[in-house]
Amino acid sequence: MSVIRALARPMLASSFILSGIDRLRRADETAQQLSPVLGRFSAALPVNASEKTLARVLAGAQVGAGVLLAAGKCSRAAAAVLSLTAALTTYVEYRSAATDTKEARSHRRSQLAKNIGLLGGALLASMDTAGRPGLAWQAGQLIESGKKGTSKQLKKADAGVRSLAHDVTGH
């Protein structure tokens, strides 16, 4: 892992970890704030889960994914989870922010910019292969290798059948 990745991942993850811990500590407020989204999600689940439980699950996922990203373990998947939580947070905070004063609107705009920046960082981290080929490239190489191997096997089989036919017919 490069020095930049070793420094950048924990730096990016720290905001998510702290936010997740704060949301866990204030699960009631979190559930109330996320109520417009969690209510719909809760209704769609096959099990009965309260909004408060879903808020805790979301916050726990944010903390866990943040720790994994900071540690460099499963960092692409962790960053994808953080991207989802950041998108949800950005949407909900922007919709619920006060706009009655000039200062409130300025704060709302500042929070939106910060959240979009975190979302962008998490999206970049979710695509970072750390210099190794990504899964799509590896799958393409595997398919190409399979095509070449199959082609060679078919040519060998054809040559074998022709040789056998030649031996049988005597021509």
Side-chain angles (χ1 to χ4, degrees):
M1 181 180 345
S2 73
V3 174
I4 297 298
R5 282 186 185 92
L7 293 173
R9 285 181 178 158
M11 290 169 69
L12 176 61
S14 66
S15 178
F16 290 104
I17 294 168
L18 294 174
S19 175
I21 289 170
D22 188 43
R23 288 178 184 269
L24 278 172
R25 287 183 180 156
R26 299 178 309 131
D28 289 326
E29 289 178 40
T30 301
Q32 185 179 12
Q33 182 186 28
L34 298 176
S35 181
V37 175
L38 294 181
R40 286 187 234 139
F41 188 69
S42 177
L45 289 175
V47 295
N48 190 9
S50 69
E51 290 179 7
K52 186 174 179 179
T53 300
L54 290 175
R56 285 181 177 150
V57 168
L58 182 66
Q62 192 171 358
V63 172
V67 169
L68 287 173
L69 179 63
K73 304 293 181 195
C74 301
S75 55
R76 290 180 72 189
V81 169
L82 294 176
S83 296
L84 291 173
T85 64
L88 177 65
T89 300
T90 301
Y91 172 75
V92 170
E93 284 183 2
Y94 186 76
R95 284 196 56 199
S96 64
T99 58
D100 52 344
T101 65
K102 185 177 180 181
E103 291 81 23
R105 287 189 298 276
S106 176
H107 180 71
R108 179 185 188 204
R109 191 172 37 254
S110 175
Q111 286 297 106
L112 178 64
K114 177 197 68 128
N115 286 341
I116 288 174
L118 286 172
L119 174 58
L123 285 172
L124 281 173
S126 73
M127 300 305 294
D128 180 27
T129 61
R132 295 183 306 266
L135 291 177
W137 184 87
Q138 290 177 11
Q141 291 298 92
L142 185 62
I143 290 169
E144 198 59 39
S145 171
K147 286 179 183 177
K148 288 178 183 175
T150 303
S151 177
K152 286 180 184 178
Q153 292 298 325
L154 285 173
K155 286 180 183 178
K156 284 183 183 179
D158 183 54
V161 168
R162 289 179 188 272
S163 173
L164 183 61
H166 184 271
D167 291 345
V168 170
T169 61
H171 293 90

